């Protein structure tokens, strides 16, 4: 447990350093393709797009996004079975080009704290969970089969409005 706390603190420190260096994820120059509209949705209203961007930026600043194994190992395993990081290569490149915060954070913690595959796989899983919670993509049927309150995860539970 101590090593994970140390890793989380190290990532949190790197996030703070990246932000202090002027690479704030909320700055217009850092937005780029870091938070595209979720696939499978109609065009978002400006208010919805701003809310979505804010949620993505908060997720990007959370050290748990990159350092922690997801709490729900079964749901993560189901999602991971269909996930192909190689197929997301262009999206990763776009994020790295268009979002200076993510590029700098990636540079500082990969591979010293977490490897490339873990960094991006966890990132896209957290993004998926955010999109499920916001109703942009359907949840996995096994997740829906759980009764209310069973196995609730803050990443997949609906957010209060």
């Amino acid at each position: 447990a101590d090593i994970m706390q140390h890793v989380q603190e190290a990532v949190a420190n790197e996030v703070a350093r990246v932000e202090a260096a002027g690479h704030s994820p909320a700055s217009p120059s850092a937005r780029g393709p870091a938070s595209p509209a979720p696939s499978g949705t109609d065009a978002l209203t400006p208010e919805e797009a701003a809310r979505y961007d804010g949620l993505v930026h908060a997720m990007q600043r959370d050290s748990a996004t990159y350092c922690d194994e997801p709490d729900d190992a079964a749901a993560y395993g189901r999602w991971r079975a269909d996930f192909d990081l190689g197929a997301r290569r262009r999206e990763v490149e776009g994020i790295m080009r268009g979002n200076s915060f993510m590029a700098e954070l990636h540079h500082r913690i990969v591979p010293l704290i977490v490897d490339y595959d873990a960094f991006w796989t966890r990132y896209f899983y957290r993004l998926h969970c955010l999109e499920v919670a916001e109703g942009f993509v359907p949840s996995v049927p096994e997740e829906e089969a759980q009764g209310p309150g069973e196995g609730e995860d803050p990443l997949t539970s609906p957010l209060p409005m």
Side-chain angles (χ1 to χ4, degrees):
D2 290 336
I3 190 132
M4 283 310 297
Q5 182 178 3
H6 178 71
V7 168
Q8 287 178 331
E9 288 172 1
V11 172
N13 288 338
E14 291 304 321
V15 167
R17 286 184 189 142
V18 170
E19 288 178 335
H23 300 289
S24 171
S27 69
S29 65
R31 295 174 68 101
S35 54
S39 60
T41 63
D42 295 329
L44 299 176
T45 67
E47 294 81 17
E48 291 169 330
R51 177 169 159 52
Y52 178 76
D53 283 349
L55 292 169
V56 171
H57 294 308
M59 178 202 77
Q60 291 171 340
R61 290 186 304 270
D62 183 356
S63 64
T65 297
Y66 316 100
C67 297
D68 295 353
E69 286 289 329
D71 291 334
D72 187 343
Y76 179 65
R78 288 188 302 272
W79 176 86
R80 183 79 175 94
D82 292 329
F83 180 72
D84 178 7
L85 182 57
R88 307 292 287 264
R89 183 180 57 84
R90 287 184 185 219
E91 190 172 351
V92 168
E93 290 170 357
I95 291 169
M96 296 290 284
R97 265 192 322 273
N99 186 310
S100 59
F101 173 83
M102 287 295 293
E104 183 68 20
L105 179 63
H106 183 271
H107 173 74
R108 289 179 183 250
I109 70 172
V110 174
L112 299 172
I113 297 173
V114 65
D115 68 42
Y116 179 92
D117 287 354
F119 181 94
W120 288 108
T121 301
R122 291 172 183 167
Y123 174 86
F124 283 114
Y125 179 68
R126 291 280 304 258
L127 184 63
H128 167 77
C129 291
L130 184 150
E131 291 174 348
V132 168
E134 292 298 306
F136 295 129
V137 297
S139 63
V140 178
E142 291 86 349
E143 292 172 340
E144 293 173 0
Q146 292 180 352
E150 293 178 21
E152 281 190 11
D153 180 340
L155 294 178
T156 57
S157 298
L159 297 175
M161 293 287 177

